[in-house]
Amino acid sequence: MNFPKTPSFDLTGKRALISGASAGIGLACAVALAERGAEVTLAARRADVLQQIADQMAAEGWQAKTMVMDVTDVAATAASVAAAGPFDILLNSAGLARHSKAVDTTPEDFDVVMGINLRGAYFLTQAVAKGLIAAGKGGSLINISSQMGHVGGQERAVYCASKFAVEGFTKAMALEFGAAKIRVNTICPTFILTELSRPTFADPAKKAWIMDKIKLGRPGEVEDIMGAVAYLASDAAALVTGTSLLIDGGWTAD
């Protein structure tokens, strides 16, 4: 009997672009990809922080480069990606939230959240896909979305709107790019303990709401995301496109 072989999770020879790579989920995902042999390009606005991270990665024996990027500047982002690409893997982690009751949403808050979470994510994904198509290469494009791209949340109308939209364009791009062997998926975390989320967990009422909804009884850690990105980036996920990988502790099962 010839047993089937597990597809490889090795990313040696692959080039990965990670936006929002200076902290939190983006940084963790950059580590996950580098550990598996990918050459990672760390992209964010803070050049000094990126260089420090790249230097530490090099000390670990990993391949790391940096790219100063503000995803809200679509033209500059596209030019940088075209000049440095093509990239086999995109991990699109740049994002932010401005939470408030829906009746208190300001046009400025709406535009800022949509500008990064939706517009920035859309056109960065487009830019990487263009490079792959021009090079005749397949690839894996991964957008960090949220469980809030599937359910509603208190004081999160704008954030939910942005992430529902990311889910939508991911599915549409997956259909369009499938013939070019380019896969497009989302990872949808629950609340992850990072510096950005600590104010939420510091509020007893909000913490109680979160812990009641997460059926596994704990908030997420960035390590909970790392295996998912390694999987979606690799040949182990060769038939996975247009889908959402929910890492939510059972939140959306209710």
Side-chain angles (χ1 to χ4, degrees), residues 20-87:
S22 60
I25 290 173
L27 175 56
C29 290
V31 170
L33 297 173
E35 282 180 327
R36 281 149 190 82
E39 176 194 278
V40 299
T41 295
L42 311 167
R45 290 176 293 182
R46 298 179 291 174
D48 55 340
V49 175
L50 291 177
Q51 193 55 57
Q52 291 173 12
I53 296 168
D55 291 343
Q56 286 184 262
M57 286 187 161
E60 295 285 343
W62 304 332
Q63 302 176 74
K65 299 180 178 180
T66 66
M67 178 187 294
V68 176
M69 177 184 292
D70 178 352
V71 297
T72 64
D73 189 336
V74 170
T77 295
S80 295
V81 170
F87 294 99

Side-chain angles (χ1 to χ4, degrees), residues 84-115:
F87 294 99
D88 305 284
I89 300 159
L90 169 66
L91 191 286
N92 199 344
S93 186
L96 90 167
R98 290 191 177 180
H99 300 315
S100 68
K101 293 180 180 179
V103 293
D104 295 327
T105 301
T106 66
E108 178 192 7
D109 285 347
F110 184 95
D111 290 344
V112 168
V113 172
M114 290 296 180

Side-chain angles (χ1 to χ4, degrees), residues 2 11 21 28 37 41 47 58 60 105 120 124 130 163 178 203 206 209 238 250:
N2 294 320
L11 299 175
T41 295
E60 295 285 343
T105 301
L124 179 55
K130 280 183 175 181
K163 293 302 185 179
D203 182 318
K206 290 178 180 177
W209 170 64

Side-chain angles (χ1 to χ4, degrees), residues 234-252:
S234 75
D235 288 344
L239 199 60
V240 180
T241 196
T243 196
S244 306
L245 181 47
L246 283 149
I247 306 175
D248 68 351
W251 185 301
T252 59

